[in-house]
Amino acid sequence: MSGQSSIWKPALALGGIGLVVAVVLAGLDGLTADRIEAQQQRQALVAISSMLAPDAYDNDLLADGLSVAIEGLDKPATAFRARLDGEPVAVILDLETRPAYSGTIRLLVAVDAAGSVLGARVLRHQETPGLGDKIERERSDWIDQFEGRSANDPPPNGWTADRQGGAFDTLTSATVTSAAVTEAIGMAVAGFKRRSTEIFERPANSSLEEQ
């Protein structure tokens, strides 16, 4: 018995150490996830302020959001609603494009209550440095071309890169990236046009499925 006991003691000790390590790592993962989420929210608010003036709305954007399914996108977008004195001002759609050259791209698309694009900003991507990364506002003004456009300007078949027959400029050597961003913005403004009343009237933290 003493021999068996001497075998089990190291095993139990190692098991205990493994459990402690797992608990510590889980705690660290939780802290890291919280920090990442906080950083992403700060990044989103900075991007929003570049498209929508702070005095244009008086509600808490992050507290006035809901999930909205958008036709053509694989994942629902989060719609943050901007209001002034209770009246609709704009919606900021936090969404992911369909896969581009190196994966999906996370975008913020701001649309005013009438359905015109106020601006778009890239929050996350893995596109090729020097080529696809020019979708970032800090690297080029390419993404500014969407400002002022709407669901019918251009018509639906124009919402893609010009090298694919659309109405929007294509980044050099980044056709797939350009198309993914352009098409996602087009889907966002079209989805908002179809459901704008519902989007503004739904309670916060609810979900709006695509019809």
Side-chain angles (χ1 to χ4, degrees):
M1 288 294 291
S2 61
Q4 290 181 341
S5 176
S6 64
I7 293 172
W8 281 107
K9 283 181 180 179
L12 290 172
L14 288 172
I17 292 170
L19 179 60
V20 170
V21 171
V23 170
V24 171
L25 288 176
L28 289 174
D29 284 345
L31 290 173
T32 301
D34 289 343
R35 290 194 186 105
I36 291 172
E37 179 63 24
Q39 175 63 26
Q40 288 178 341
Q41 286 191 353
R42 286 193 294 270
Q43 182 185 6
L45 287 173
V46 169
I48 288 169
S49 68
S50 71
M51 300 182 290
L52 186 63
D55 59 0
Y57 61 96
D58 57 12
N59 63 315
D60 183 348
L61 289 179
L62 297 182
D64 196 0
L66 73 158
S67 174
V68 179
I70 295 177
E71 185 178 355
L73 297 181
D74 296 333
K75 295 181 180 179
T78 300
F80 298 106
R81 298 167 294 189
R83 308 176 194 268
L84 185 63
D85 296 328
E87 295 299 315
V89 172
V91 166
I92 296 88
L93 295 163
D94 183 342
L95 57 87
E96 283 191 15
T97 69
R98 293 190 291 197
Y101 186 76
S102 299
T104 61
I105 297 166
R106 185 180 172 197
L107 296 174
L108 285 181
V109 182
V111 184
D112 69 18
S116 294
V117 177
L118 295 171
R121 294 292 184 271
V122 174
L123 292 184
R124 187 193 70 242
H125 74 88
Q126 297 176 308
E127 301 304 280
T128 306
L131 299 174
D133 66 350
K134 291 181 181 178
I135 56 177
E136 298 176 34
R137 183 62 183 79
E138 296 77 11
R139 297 185 181 276
S140 83
D141 61 0
W142 176 84
I143 205 162
D144 291 344
Q145 66 181 312
F146 302 103
E147 293 179 17
R149 310 305 284 268
S150 62
N152 293 322
D153 177 26
N157 61 3
W159 276 95
T160 190
D162 55 6
R163 291 185 187 174
Q164 295 185 341
F168 295 92
D169 292 342
T170 304
L171 287 168
T172 302
S173 300
T175 301
V176 174
T177 305
S178 303
V181 172
T182 303
E183 291 166 8
I185 296 173
M187 293 169 191
V189 296
F192 175 74
K193 180 186 177 184
R194 288 194 300 270
R195 319 283 303 274
S196 59
T197 300
E198 292 178 273
I199 287 172
F200 278 112
E201 291 181 350
R202 283 290 182 114
N205 301 314
S206 63
S207 297
L208 186 57
E209 301 300 323
E210 184 63 54
Q211 293 177 331

